[in-house]
Amino acid sequence: MKIAIRVALLAALIGGGIWVWMYFHPSPEEAIRRRLAQLAEEVSFKSDEGMVAKAMHAQKLAGFFAREVSLTIDLPEISSHESMSRDEINKFALALRSSPYFRSLKVQCLDPVITLGADRKSAIVELTIRAETAGDKYLVVQEMKFTMKEVDGEWLILRVETVKTLNRAPTPRRSDDPALA
Amino acid sequence: MQSETVQTGNFSWLRTIIIGRNPRLTAVRLVVIVALILVLRAYVLLPIQVDGPSMLPNYREHSINVVNRLAYLRHEPQRGDVVAIRFSGKSIMLMKRVVGVPGDTVEFVNGKLMINGRHVDEPYVKSGCSWDFRPPHWQLGDDEYYVVGDNRAMPYEDHKQGAAKRERIVGKVML
């Protein structure tokens, strides 16, 4: 019996040691997952947030991105490709938090599928963003693709793209559509 | 002393109900049942909660349903099947009806569904519709299925629909 208890204690000790080691030395996949969870927390806000907190969170949010971020949005209602600097992201985040249309916002980064590059310092992350505001349910459920890179031990977002879950046919231009001709 | 005997008798009766006459056998049964539920949950039946109006009135908001993940092991999705379509994972899925299969052309003309240029009767659609969607020269690919909700009273722009890749179809909605 004593031996069994000793073995159990030893196993628990080894398990605990492995857990502590993995907590402080996460794999790139785990580090990215944690980073995305932090990103979701930083994007989310409550209605009672003060101006100082707004500015602080907006600045913190910008820190999740590279100095220059490429944004590609391809949705039925909007299509654009542009670059944004950290400063612009900061301003955008602050404007979003101060907008009278969004009293609060809750964002979740769900089901990240992480594909690491050969160097294990870059990654493509496909994930589902779910965002809801107070009162409205499911304001946005959108599949996204992030290109990330590890810089000085931190995973930064270099590129943000929307992913089409369902592919809609291109809206016919007037000249293309015989029915409209 | 007498009351003690009665208490022990009660406890024995309760114990028989809860853990049975053979506790070891009960434990084995419990482990098997839990393992079976976990395996079913992970690989066969996926419980879902309907959220959103796009499948009204056939699938009400907040109703519970089950997705059969093995439904398409032996055959491919058929027109009329209600399926679950994943995003990057299965935390949130789209619940839609398959109306077009690979090779089909899909159009909505004056609110009527047209497959390969022919009008298709849709008994599951209860609402009127004015969608007009006629993409020229657009045909579903070899691994694409056109999915759309039953609630056609919604504006076309607000209704998530389109061609889903086969790999995104998680399974068939059972109920």
Side-chain angles (χ1 to χ4, degrees), chain A residues 1-21:
Chain A
M1 196 64 178
K2 271 187 177 176
I3 293 173
I5 291 170
R6 279 180 189 168
V7 168
L9 275 174
L10 189 68
L13 207 67
I14 291 169
I18 291 171
W19 184 84
V20 169
W21 172 263

Side-chain angles (χ1 to χ4, degrees), chain B residues 6 10 35 37 45 70 97 126 134 143 149 152 158 163:
Chain B
V6 171
N10 276 346
I37 289 170
L45 302 174
L70 304 182
R97 194 178 291 275
K126 312 288 184 199
R134 301 181 217 186
D143 61 343
R152 309 284 165 79
D158 296 344

Side-chain angles (χ1 to χ4, degrees), chain A residues 25-159:
Chain A
H25 299 88
S27 64
E29 289 93 339
E30 184 54 31
I32 289 170
R33 276 194 193 93
R34 285 187 200 170
R35 192 82 174 145
L36 292 172
Q38 289 168 355
L39 174 74
E41 269 181 39
E42 286 305 325
V43 180
S44 304
F45 59 89
K46 290 181 179 169
S47 54
D48 57 354
E49 202 178 49
M51 269 315 288
V52 176
K54 279 180 188 169
M56 198 182 75
H57 285 294
Q59 194 172 13
K60 223 173 162 186
L61 177 67
F64 282 81
F65 295 87
R67 288 182 192 282
E68 202 68 28
V69 184
S70 159
L71 292 170
T72 306
I73 298 169
D74 187 8
L75 299 171
E77 58 274 20
I78 182 171
S79 179
S80 76
H81 177 80
E82 59 185 305
S83 289
M84 274 180 106
S85 67
R86 270 187 186 166
D87 196 37
E88 286 171 314
I89 292 170
N90 187 358
K91 282 178 186 164
F92 177 77
L94 196 58
L96 184 75
R97 290 178 117 89
S98 308
S99 167
Y101 300 108
F102 301 103
R103 280 183 293 123
S104 69
L105 183 68
K106 188 184 172 195
V107 175
Q108 287 175 286
C109 295
L110 301 167
D111 302 324
V113 179
I114 300 162
T115 310
L116 283 177
D119 58 353
R120 295 178 70 81
K121 298 273 182 191
S122 60
I124 304 280
V125 183
E126 288 181 285
L127 71 158
T128 308
I129 302 279
R130 177 186 157 177
E132 60 180 299
T133 57
D136 289 323
K137 276 199 82 190
Y138 299 137
L139 177 71
V140 177
V141 176
Q142 177 62 48
E143 207 173 335
M144 308 284 289
K145 188 160 95 175
F146 290 174
T147 303
M148 298 180 80
K149 194 167 180 65
E150 192 190 4
V151 180
D152 298 331
E154 285 202 325
W155 284 91
L156 300 177
I157 300 168
L158 295 175
R159 184 183 292 175

Side-chain angles (χ1 to χ4, degrees), chain A residues 76-77 110-113 126-130 137-138 140-144 163-172 176-180, chain B residues 51-52 62 85-92 94 96 133-138 144 146-147 156-165 168:
Chain A
E77 58 274 20
L110 301 167
D111 302 324
V113 179
E126 288 181 285
L127 71 158
T128 308
I129 302 279
R130 177 186 157 177
K137 276 199 82 190
Y138 299 137
V140 177
V141 176
Q142 177 62 48
E143 207 173 335
M144 308 284 289
V163 174
K164 283 181 179 173
T165 308
L166 299 179
N167 192 21
R168 266 189 182 187
T171 309
D176 286 350
D177 189 354
L180 297 171
Chain B
D51 213 334
H62 311 302
I85 298 148
R86 67 163 180 81
F87 286 88
S88 65
K90 298 180 193 82
S91 297
I92 302 181
L94 291 169
K96 300 284 173 191
F133 166 68
R134 301 181 217 186
H137 323 297
W138 193 67
E144 287 183 326
Y146 200 92
V147 294
Y156 177 78
E157 296 75 24
D158 296 344
H159 194 112
K160 272 197 174 154
Q161 59 172 300
K165 294 271 183 199
R168 283 185 179 274

